[in-house]
């Protein structure tokens, strides 16, 4: 599980890596502040990496987005916190 502390910054970088497994979990961020926004740039080191999310992450239609499956693929998870317990997000995929 990937733990992010929103007190550290608003923007983050994440590299999905081998040796940790094909699927990683983006956990509940600590120190969520209502009104906070930012982004998480996600780069895949290999094909078919996956990211799942805890229930605090809310996506359009209630469906978790899938990462770009290309090796070296870059996606950006843009988020906004309407409360101190909810993170609304959208995934911008395959940015080049």
């Amino acid at each position: 599980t990937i733990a992010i502390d929103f007190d550290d910054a608003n923007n983050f970088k994440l590299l999905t890596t081998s040796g940790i497994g094909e699927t990683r979990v983006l956990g509940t961020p600590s120190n969520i502040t209502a009104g906070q926004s930012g982004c998480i740039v996600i780069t895949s080191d290999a094909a078919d990496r996956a990211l799942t999310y805890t229930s605090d992450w809310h996506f359009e239609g209630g469906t978790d987005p899938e990462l770009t499956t290309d090796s070296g693929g870059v996606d950006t998870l843009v988020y906004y916190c309407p409360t101190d317990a909810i993170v609304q997000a959208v995934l911008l995929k395959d940015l080049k």
Side-chain angles (χ1 to χ4, degrees):
T1 299
I2 301 164
I4 294 179
D5 185 344
F6 279 177
D7 267 354
D8 290 344
N10 289 348
N11 302 309
F12 301 88
K13 290 183 181 180
L14 171 64
L15 174 64
T16 61
T17 58
S18 60
I20 299 174
E22 298 300 313
T23 301
R24 304 206 44 204
V25 176
L26 188 55
T28 301
S30 56
N31 299 305
I32 299 171
T33 301
Q36 181 173 0
S37 62
C39 66
I40 303 169
V41 177
I42 305 162
T43 304
S44 177
D45 72 329
D48 299 325
R49 299 282 186 221
L51 187 64
T52 60
Y53 310 84
T54 58
S55 62
D56 303 279
W57 293 92
H58 296 260
F59 298 98
E60 182 178 6
T63 303
D64 291 354
E66 295 182 9
L67 297 177
T68 299
T69 58
D70 298 340
S71 178
V74 177
D75 300 323
T76 299
L77 187 65
V78 180
Y79 71 87
Y80 172 73
C81 306
T83 72
D84 63 0
I86 294 174
V87 183
Q88 296 173 338
V90 63
L91 186 69
L92 306 176
K93 292 184 65 165
D94 199 20
L95 300 173
K96 298 183 181 196

